[in-house]
Amino acid sequence: MMSPHEFYEWHDEPRQGDIVLCGVSRIIADDRRSPPQWESLDAHFLEIDDAWDAGHSLDVAAGIGLAMVVTHDCQLDKEWNQRVRELKRGGMTRERAELEAASDVSLDRTLVVSPLVDPSELRGGHKNLLAGKVIGYLPVPAHSDNLVGDCAVDLTYRCTIDRLDVAKIASISETARKRLRYALIQLDALRTADLGFEVEAVVGRTIQRVEVPARDPLTVRIHLDDGNVIQLLQQPGTPDQETGRTGEFFSSEGSGHA
């Protein structure tokens, strides 16, 4: 696990990896079963009668807790940037256009978050999880100001929330953000770096080895028997924050400077 000094880095701008206090919810079955790591999040249950055509109810579990923003930086300010460009094309200065766009609370209202959970309540081994070896989870070290305890982001639980009902607690470093992106890619697409015979069939060569550099885990290098190397995955870049909004994104912000 990364040290708190390496993991946390305060910034006012909204970014992927921000840790927020917010509501989370999920659709559940009639028996209202909650996995151990989600029991504290499933604090309230709502039953919507006759939600299905067959007359069955729709059940929702909801609660309040700490969560990590998993929406990519580009998406957080997408509508805001589009509006700024539109206003500039209309002859407005950039400064005025940014103020005008920032006053429009309808822009970029939603984001996706995953809750922070207690590693001791997860299957797969507490040690392996905190070492980052369990797919679907990102270990999070305790914050130096006790804003966050040792925990893990459960990427298998994602929900869409309104950013105006969110309080920012802490933010993370670029190095930690890279690990989050790799964990998301590994869960949703890669699963493993062993690409096997499918890639061999496509390129017509034998794979000698697959390398995932420790310092740049979002780059997968495939070494072929003829000496060529295929770089499978480029590291997604972080947008230039000077082109995005600098504050007033969430309804309120904590003082979790690290």
Side-chain angles (χ1 to χ4, degrees):
M1 181 188 291
M2 297 177 64
S3 69
H5 177 73
E6 296 173 311
F7 192 88
Y8 294 101
E9 179 181 289
W10 178 261
H11 47 74
D12 292 322
E13 302 87 352
R15 295 186 190 176
Q16 185 182 41
D18 284 349
I19 296 177
V20 299
L21 179 65
C22 63
V24 295
S25 62
R26 63 189 183 93
I27 305 299
I28 58 174
D30 292 340
D31 63 359
R32 296 185 174 183
R33 180 186 178 277
S34 299
Q37 70 271 22
W38 295 349
E39 286 183 353
S40 61
L41 298 170
D42 295 345
H44 307 280
F45 296 92
L46 172 66
E47 183 177 332
I48 304 173
D49 294 330
D50 300 324
W52 295 88
D53 291 339
H56 295 160
S57 64
L58 183 67
D59 295 278
V60 179
I64 305 293
L66 292 177
M68 180 172 285
V69 176
V70 298
T71 303
H72 193 273
D73 296 333
C74 294
Q75 194 66 34
L76 290 175
D77 280 330
K78 184 177 181 179
E79 295 175 355
W80 184 88
N81 280 313
Q82 289 174 341
R83 182 59 177 153
V84 169
R85 287 193 292 269
E86 290 173 358
L87 294 172
K88 288 178 62 181
R89 285 196 295 267
M92 193 175 289
T93 65
R94 178 170 186 85
E95 181 179 1
R96 178 59 185 167
E98 290 181 351
L99 290 173
E100 184 77 16
S103 67
D104 188 347
V105 296
S106 69
L107 302 178
D108 304 302
R109 283 292 292 264
T110 60
L111 61 153
V112 179
V113 299
S114 289
L116 274 55
V117 298
D118 186 346
S120 66
E121 296 176 344
L122 289 163
R123 297 177 181 177
H126 185 272
K127 184 177 181 180
N128 285 335
L129 191 145
L130 292 183
K133 297 180 180 180
V134 181
I135 291 177
Y137 300 92
L138 176 72
V140 175
H143 194 282
S144 57
D145 293 333
N146 298 318
L147 299 173
V148 182
D150 282 329
C151 57
V153 183
D154 190 343
L155 299 174
T156 68
Y157 187 148
R158 297 182 209 176
C159 63
T160 301
I161 64 173
D162 191 316
R163 66 175 175 85
L164 295 188
D165 195 31
V166 167
K168 183 172 175 177
I169 302 299
S171 50
I172 66 175
S173 66
E174 183 62 24
T175 300
R177 196 172 297 109
K178 287 180 181 179
R179 295 200 177 191
L180 168 62
R181 291 171 182 160
Y182 179 65
L184 287 166
I185 292 171
Q186 191 177 34
L187 173 64
D188 293 336
L190 293 182
R191 300 298 298 183
T192 176
D194 184 8
L195 303 175
F197 297 106
E198 291 186 11
V199 173
E200 292 184 351
V202 172
V203 301
R205 307 298 308 188
T206 299
I207 297 174
Q208 290 189 327
R209 63 188 176 92
V210 176
E211 176 188 9
V212 181
R215 294 186 178 181
D216 189 8
L218 291 179
T219 299
V220 179
R221 300 191 185 113
I222 304 173
H223 296 258
L224 304 177
D225 58 356
D226 62 356
N228 287 320
V229 177
I230 297 175
Q231 185 164 289
L232 178 66
L233 195 64
Q234 290 282 5
Q235 175 183 310
T238 297
D240 180 2
Q241 290 299 322
E242 293 183 359
T243 64
R245 71 179 84 197
T246 57
E248 303 302 326
F249 182 79
F250 300 112
S251 59
S252 60
E253 295 186 351
S255 58
H257 297 241

